[in-house]
Amino acid sequence: MDKGLHFMFCVIATMLLLRESSQTGEKNDLKMLAASKSGFGIDSRGPEEGLPTLTVTTILEDPYVMVRSAELEGYCIDLLKALAAMLHFSYKVKVVSDGQYGAISSNGNWTGMVGEILRQEADIAVAPLTVTSAREEVISFTTPFLQTGIGILLRKDTASQEMSFFHFLAPFSKETWTGLLFAYVLTCFCLFLVARLSPCEWNEPKNEENHFTFLNSLWFGAGALALQGVTPRPKALSVRVIAAVWWLFTIALLAAYIANFTALLSSGSEQLPIQTFEDLVKQRKLEFGTLDGSSTFYFFKNSKNPIHQMIYEYMDKRRDRVLVKTYQEAVQRVMESNYAFIGESISQDLAAARHCNLIRAPEVIGARGFGIATTQASLWTKKLSIAVLKLRESGDLDYLRNKWWETSCLHKSRDRWSPLQPQALGGLFLTLAIGLALGVIAAVVELSNKSRHAAGHVKKSCCSVFTEEMCTRLRIKENTRQSQETSGRANA
């Protein structure tokens, strides 16, 4: 009987112990599940391993930080994970409460992520936070992990304009067209001069007609530009040298024109009347603004550039109408209205990659960088800076940049078109100049050879015969004789 009671007592005690252990396990599982949901980015290593835990403040902005499936992801989250793995710390991410980056309010306090760091509500800020002198006075920044500038985001149809009536001149710059006109006139003049000097082209100046007049030389050069054979046909070696070099010049020039004109037609950049910030100020079709309280706004406020001051005055007078609260609002407004957004160029590149009807103007000003913000007395500033440099040297930052800035537009690899400058054709113009010089030298040599042979027959010096031939061919002798006769009559 005692054995039976003892056995029952052992069974009951064992059941109670098993029940208690199962309840304890369920509670622990619930705690872990709640922590994973409420932590919103807590490092998987956890504080149980003795790692320091940092509170990280950030801001929701595509593609830096985004919410997908109740979790945060993006460029800054991947960067934070890489830094945590290198420096061995855990972290807890919180989105900034007021949705601001950080600026001085009217009461003198800092807002946004900068304010949270100053109030010690967060240890660091990992976000697209621009390094500025005003922010550097109150907090510290690491080495920038992204380089950017200030650009103009436009919608293609609002920024487009009708093609000019002289649109066919666009492939070459004004300087190139001027150089081409000068080369054409100089070549035709050299043709005319060499044809008169060369005895192989014009043997008897007194009896024979020279077909290479200046007008005929102009027509010959124009025919070569159109790849058409025209008369007169050169006979002398000197004239043929100049003609051959001019033909080579025109073939290369036409190839460059056709290639650049094709690129012009397939590119949309020539339809952008707003290429610079000066163009933006001069136009009246589009309103323009930036993020309220952002570093871009204060850049224009503090700039001494007259164009930048005009932009600031425009935005300040229309603050309620042109300044936006978030980056998403700015992109949406550009897409839906006649509005140009002034902001970080790297963010605008992303918008142009995601929305194929958007484009960024070519000019970028105010080179700057995004850095990780910490308190001024923080020991993490130098550690994070070194870690960022290591990630850059290893190529991890470039990998993250390509990962989150991948475009879905078909024209993602299209280069911006620009008119062809004279420097690109410098070798071609130099070749033409050398050919003209060789042609003139060849004509002088041909004339010298004839003068030397003629000097032997008439028993005169070669120089005197050469001078007479030169004057005869250039009609200098007749003009001199006429002037002498005129002066003699006047004296009589």
Side-chain angles (χ1 to χ4, degrees), residues 9-286:
F9 178 76
C10 291
V11 171
I12 293 173
T14 303
M15 293 178 64
L16 291 174
L17 289 172
L18 291 174
R19 181 180 180 183
E20 184 178 357
S21 63
S22 63
Q23 290 178 351
T24 304
E26 290 177 359
K27 290 180 180 179
N28 291 336
D29 292 340
L30 290 174
K31 288 181 180 180
M32 292 178 63
L33 182 61
S36 63
K37 291 184 177 180
S38 61
F40 218 27
I42 294 178
D43 192 87
S44 60
R45 285 182 293 272
E48 67 275 7
E49 297 181 7
L51 299 177
T53 302
L54 300 180
T55 302
V56 181
T57 181
T58 189
I59 191 170
L60 295 178
E61 181 176 331
D62 187 12
Y64 303 98
V65 180
M66 301 169 289
V67 180
R68 291 183 181 175
S69 302
E71 292 290 338
L72 291 178
E73 65 175 24
Y75 179 92
C76 289
I77 300 301
D78 288 350
L79 175 63
L80 187 57
K81 291 178 181 178
L83 294 173
M86 292 181 64
L87 301 179
H88 305 289
F89 65 85
S90 59
Y91 56 88
K92 180 178 180 180
V93 180
K94 62 184 294 291
V95 178
V96 61
S97 57
D98 59 2
Q100 300 292 323
Y101 289 87
I104 302 178
S105 60
S106 57
N107 57 9
N109 297 325
W110 281 85
T111 62
M113 293 177 284
V114 178
E116 290 189 350
I117 292 178
L118 291 175
R119 294 188 299 269
Q120 297 185 352
E121 298 175 7
D123 299 309
I124 62 174
V126 182
L129 188 62
T130 306
V131 180
T132 63
S133 59
R135 291 170 179 170
E136 191 75 49
E137 290 179 355
V138 294
I139 60 176
S140 296
F141 282 96
T142 65
T143 301
F145 57 86
L146 268 181
Q147 298 293 337
T148 182
I150 300 176
I152 308 171
L153 184 65
L154 308 162
R155 196 172 78 247
K156 290 182 179 179
D157 56 348
T158 58
S160 63
Q161 63 178 3
E162 294 183 359
M163 290 187 179
S164 171
F165 187 72
F166 296 98
H167 191 64
F168 66 94
L169 298 176
F172 290 163
S173 64
K174 296 179 180 179
E175 294 80 5
T176 304
W177 284 115
T178 303
L180 174 59
L181 179 62
F182 177 77
Y184 167 69
V185 175
L186 180 61
T187 302
C188 294
F189 176 76
C190 288
L191 277 173
F192 164 72
L193 179 64
V194 170
R196 295 183 72 87
L197 294 179
S198 175
C200 300
E201 189 70 40
W202 194 27
N203 190 24
E204 297 293 337
K206 297 180 180 180
N207 304 322
E208 185 181 353
E209 181 183 359
N210 187 354
H211 297 289
F212 267 100
T213 62
F214 187 67
L215 290 179
N216 286 344
S217 299
L218 291 175
W219 180 245
F220 183 89
L225 278 174
L227 300 180
Q228 300 295 320
V230 293
T231 55
R233 301 183 183 277
K235 295 179 292 183
L237 175 64
S238 55
V239 182
R240 288 179 178 180
V241 168
I242 294 179
V245 173
W246 177 245
W247 291 337
L248 176 64
F249 177 84
T250 55
I251 291 175
L253 188 74
L254 289 174
Y257 177 86
I258 294 172
N260 213 34
F261 193 63
T262 304
L264 169 70
L265 295 179
S266 61
S267 173
S269 61
E270 82 287 354
Q271 298 180 358
L272 278 181
I274 302 176
Q275 300 281 338
T276 64
F277 285 87
E278 184 177 358
D279 297 335
L280 184 65
V281 173
K282 291 180 179 179
Q283 59 84 36
R284 294 292 180 268
K285 182 180 179 181
L286 301 177

